[in-house]
mmCIF file of all heavy atoms in Angstrom:
data_model
loop_
_atom_site.group_PDB
_atom_site.id
_atom_site.type_symbol
_atom_site.label_atom_id
_atom_site.label_comp_id
_atom_site.label_asym_id
_atom_site.label_seq_id
_atom_site.Cartn_x
_atom_site.Cartn_y
_atom_site.Cartn_z
ATOM 1 N N ILE A 31 -36.619 17.062 -9.939
ATOM 2 C CA ILE A 31 -36.145 18.239 -10.610
ATOM 3 C C ILE A 31 -36.686 18.164 -12.060
ATOM 4 O O ILE A 31 -36.494 17.130 -12.656
ATOM 5 C CB ILE A 31 -34.538 18.226 -10.477
ATOM 6 C CG1 ILE A 31 -34.232 18.350 -9.147
ATOM 7 C CG2 ILE A 31 -34.035 19.347 -11.299
ATOM 8 C CD1 ILE A 31 -32.705 18.401 -8.748
ATOM 9 N N THR A 32 -37.140 19.187 -12.526
ATOM 10 C CA THR A 32 -37.626 19.329 -13.877
ATOM 11 C C THR A 32 -36.573 19.059 -14.880
ATOM 12 O O THR A 32 -35.488 19.691 -14.879
ATOM 13 C CB THR A 32 -38.298 20.690 -14.164
ATOM 14 O OG1 THR A 32 -39.252 20.863 -13.093
ATOM 15 C CG2 THR A 32 -38.906 20.774 -15.491
ATOM 16 N N PRO A 33 -36.817 18.250 -16.011
ATOM 17 C CA PRO A 33 -35.775 17.990 -17.013
ATOM 18 C C PRO A 33 -35.482 19.384 -17.725
ATOM 19 O O PRO A 33 -36.368 20.019 -18.171
ATOM 20 C CB PRO A 33 -36.339 17.051 -17.902
ATOM 21 C CG PRO A 33 -37.616 16.431 -17.214
ATOM 22 C CD PRO A 33 -37.913 17.505 -16.146
ATOM 23 N N ILE A 34 -34.188 19.607 -18.036
ATOM 24 C CA ILE A 34 -33.847 20.742 -18.689
ATOM 25 C C ILE A 34 -33.152 20.431 -20.072
ATOM 26 O O ILE A 34 -33.531 20.801 -21.161
ATOM 27 C CB ILE A 34 -32.865 21.718 -17.963
ATOM 28 C CG1 ILE A 34 -33.731 22.117 -16.632
ATOM 29 C CG2 ILE A 34 -32.319 22.838 -18.816
ATOM 30 C CD1 ILE A 34 -32.675 22.963 -15.744
ATOM 31 N N LEU A 35 -32.127 19.538 -19.948
ATOM 32 C CA LEU A 35 -31.390 19.138 -21.076
ATOM 33 C C LEU A 35 -32.101 17.861 -21.895
ATOM 34 O O LEU A 35 -32.136 16.808 -21.214
ATOM 35 C CB LEU A 35 -29.979 18.838 -20.869
ATOM 36 C CG LEU A 35 -29.198 19.991 -20.247
ATOM 37 C CD1 LEU A 35 -27.869 19.571 -19.713
ATOM 38 C CD2 LEU A 35 -29.016 20.995 -21.338
ATOM 39 N N PHE A 36 -32.431 17.992 -23.064
ATOM 40 C CA PHE A 36 -32.952 16.893 -23.867
ATOM 41 C C PHE A 36 -34.138 16.252 -23.233
ATOM 42 O O PHE A 36 -34.497 15.130 -23.628
ATOM 43 C CB PHE A 36 -31.817 15.892 -24.183
ATOM 44 C CG PHE A 36 -30.625 16.417 -24.796
ATOM 45 C CD1 PHE A 36 -29.494 16.416 -24.108
ATOM 46 C CD2 PHE A 36 -30.566 17.045 -26.013
ATOM 47 C CE1 PHE A 36 -28.235 16.944 -24.674
ATOM 48 C CE2 PHE A 36 -29.468 17.546 -26.580
ATOM 49 C CZ PHE A 36 -28.339 17.568 -25.845
ATOM 50 N N GLY A 37 -34.785 16.897 -22.297
ATOM 51 C CA GLY A 37 -36.004 16.380 -21.729
ATOM 52 C C GLY A 37 -35.765 15.150 -20.861
ATOM 53 O O GLY A 37 -36.625 14.355 -20.459
ATOM 54 N N MET A 38 -34.488 14.983 -20.453
ATOM 55 C CA MET A 38 -34.183 13.852 -19.623
ATOM 56 C C MET A 38 -34.097 14.209 -18.145
ATOM 57 O O MET A 38 -33.630 15.421 -17.819
ATOM 58 C CB MET A 38 -32.616 13.393 -19.949
ATOM 59 C CG MET A 38 -32.587 12.745 -21.369
ATOM 60 S SD MET A 38 -30.928 12.302 -21.756
ATOM 61 C CE MET A 38 -30.957 10.594 -21.717
ATOM 62 N N PRO A 39 -34.588 13.415 -17.247
ATOM 63 C CA PRO A 39 -34.608 13.783 -15.862
ATOM 64 C C PRO A 39 -33.230 13.967 -15.261
ATOM 65 O O PRO A 39 -32.250 13.469 -15.764
ATOM 66 C CB PRO A 39 -35.265 12.575 -15.155
ATOM 67 C CG PRO A 39 -35.961 11.822 -16.299
ATOM 68 C CD PRO A 39 -35.170 12.130 -17.543
ATOM 69 N N PHE A 40 -33.197 14.712 -14.210
ATOM 70 C CA PHE A 40 -32.052 15.023 -13.544
ATOM 71 C C PHE A 40 -31.130 13.750 -13.139
ATOM 72 O O PHE A 40 -30.061 13.749 -13.139
ATOM 73 C CB PHE A 40 -32.247 15.955 -12.289
ATOM 74 C CG PHE A 40 -31.020 16.103 -11.410
ATOM 75 C CD1 PHE A 40 -29.989 17.100 -11.832
ATOM 76 C CD2 PHE A 40 -30.886 15.548 -10.308
ATOM 77 C CE1 PHE A 40 -28.971 17.234 -11.155
ATOM 78 C CE2 PHE A 40 -29.810 15.695 -9.429
ATOM 79 C CZ PHE A 40 -28.826 16.593 -9.839
ATOM 80 N N THR A 41 -31.955 12.789 -12.639
ATOM 81 C CA THR A 41 -31.319 11.573 -12.124
ATOM 82 C C THR A 41 -30.461 10.832 -13.311
ATOM 83 O O THR A 41 -29.534 10.090 -13.004
ATOM 84 C CB THR A 41 -32.278 10.699 -11.447
ATOM 85 O OG1 THR A 41 -33.312 10.435 -12.342
ATOM 86 C CG2 THR A 41 -32.716 11.201 -10.158
ATOM 87 N N VAL A 42 -30.917 10.970 -14.460
ATOM 88 C CA VAL A 42 -30.198 10.361 -15.532
ATOM 89 C C VAL A 42 -28.852 11.008 -15.648
ATOM 90 O O VAL A 42 -27.803 10.395 -15.865
ATOM 91 C CB VAL A 42 -31.033 10.555 -16.813
ATOM 92 C CG1 VAL A 42 -30.138 9.957 -18.085
ATOM 93 C CG2 VAL A 42 -32.379 9.674 -16.782
ATOM 94 N N TRP A 43 -28.794 12.366 -15.721
ATOM 95 C CA TRP A 43 -27.487 12.978 -15.804
ATOM 96 C C TRP A 43 -26.676 12.831 -14.561
ATOM 97 O O TRP A 43 -25.461 12.531 -14.464
ATOM 98 C CB TRP A 43 -27.694 14.508 -16.025
ATOM 99 C CG TRP A 43 -28.535 14.861 -17.378
ATOM 100 C CD1 TRP A 43 -29.686 15.102 -17.398
ATOM 101 C CD2 TRP A 43 -27.825 14.713 -18.676
ATOM 102 N NE1 TRP A 43 -29.936 15.343 -18.745
ATOM 103 C CE2 TRP A 43 -28.833 15.110 -19.572
ATOM 104 C CE3 TRP A 43 -26.602 14.474 -19.183
ATOM 105 C CZ2 TRP A 43 -28.621 15.178 -20.885
ATOM 106 C CZ3 TRP A 43 -26.340 14.512 -20.428
ATOM 107 C CH2 TRP A 43 -27.330 14.910 -21.387
ATOM 108 N N TYR A 44 -27.411 12.849 -13.455
ATOM 109 C CA TYR A 44 -26.634 12.604 -12.101
ATOM 110 C C TYR A 44 -26.000 11.237 -12.066
ATOM 111 O O TYR A 44 -24.920 11.057 -11.667
ATOM 112 C CB TYR A 44 -27.702 12.737 -11.069
ATOM 113 C CG TYR A 44 -27.054 12.617 -9.611
ATOM 114 C CD1 TYR A 44 -26.488 13.637 -9.093
ATOM 115 C CD2 TYR A 44 -27.080 11.429 -8.934
ATOM 116 C CE1 TYR A 44 -25.929 13.715 -7.748
ATOM 117 C CE2 TYR A 44 -26.663 11.274 -7.626
ATOM 118 C CZ TYR A 44 -25.981 12.413 -7.031
ATOM 119 O OH TYR A 44 -25.456 12.387 -5.826
ATOM 120 N N THR A 45 -26.704 10.156 -12.584
ATOM 121 C CA THR A 45 -26.118 8.895 -12.584
ATOM 122 C C THR A 45 -24.880 8.815 -13.420
ATOM 123 O O THR A 45 -23.885 8.197 -13.057
ATOM 124 C CB THR A 45 -27.170 7.847 -13.173
ATOM 125 O OG1 THR A 45 -28.251 7.815 -12.291
ATOM 126 C CG2 THR A 45 -26.680 6.518 -13.231
ATOM 127 N N HIS A 46 -24.897 9.419 -14.567
ATOM 128 C CA HIS A 46 -23.739 9.439 -15.521
ATOM 129 C C HIS A 46 -22.554 10.233 -14.836
ATOM 130 O O HIS A 46 -21.353 9.628 -14.870
ATOM 131 C CB HIS A 46 -24.083 10.065 -16.919
ATOM 132 C CG HIS A 46 -24.890 9.147 -17.686
ATOM 133 N ND1 HIS A 46 -26.203 9.093 -17.591
ATOM 134 C CD2 HIS A 46 -24.523 8.270 -18.615
ATOM 135 C CE1 HIS A 46 -26.625 8.217 -18.492
ATOM 136 N NE2 HIS A 46 -25.620 7.720 -19.147
ATOM 137 N N ILE A 47 -22.807 11.244 -14.077
ATOM 138 C CA ILE A 47 -21.773 12.028 -13.428
ATOM 139 C C ILE A 47 -21.170 11.245 -12.357
ATOM 140 O O ILE A 47 -19.963 11.202 -12.373
ATOM 141 C CB ILE A 47 -22.325 13.334 -12.945
ATOM 142 C CG1 ILE A 47 -22.591 14.320 -14.121
ATOM 143 C CG2 ILE A 47 -21.369 14.055 -12.073
ATOM 144 C CD1 ILE A 47 -23.405 15.628 -13.740
ATOM 145 N N VAL A 48 -21.969 10.553 -11.555
ATOM 146 C CA VAL A 48 -21.531 9.702 -10.457
ATOM 147 C C VAL A 48 -20.720 8.595 -11.044
ATOM 148 O O VAL A 48 -19.616 8.275 -10.437
ATOM 149 C CB VAL A 48 -22.642 9.129 -9.671
ATOM 150 C CG1 VAL A 48 -22.309 8.154 -8.686
ATOM 151 C CG2 VAL A 48 -23.382 10.331 -8.870
ATOM 152 N N ILE A 49 -21.006 7.913 -12.070
ATOM 153 C CA ILE A 49 -20.263 6.921 -12.694
ATOM 154 C C ILE A 49 -18.915 7.319 -13.205
ATOM 155 O O ILE A 49 -17.839 6.662 -12.854
ATOM 156 C CB ILE A 49 -21.076 6.154 -13.918
ATOM 157 C CG1 ILE A 49 -22.268 5.441 -13.365
ATOM 158 C CG2 ILE A 49 -20.178 5.242 -14.707
ATOM 159 C CD1 ILE A 49 -23.199 4.965 -14.354
ATOM 160 N N ILE A 50 -18.888 8.399 -13.866
ATOM 161 C CA ILE A 50 -17.676 9.017 -14.215
ATOM 162 C C ILE A 50 -16.778 9.350 -13.071
ATOM 163 O O ILE A 50 -15.614 9.056 -13.140
ATOM 164 C CB ILE A 50 -17.845 10.295 -15.114
ATOM 165 C CG1 ILE A 50 -18.468 9.869 -16.452
ATOM 166 C CG2 ILE A 50 -16.631 11.018 -15.303
ATOM 167 C CD1 ILE A 50 -18.941 11.027 -17.360
#
Side-chain angles (χ1 to χ4, degrees):
I31 296 175
T32 307
I34 297 172
L35 298 173
F36 307 116
M38 297 174 108
F40 172 74
T41 51
V42 173
W43 296 106
Y44 183 81
T45 302
H46 286 85
I47 291 169
V48 166
I49 289 170
I50 290 169

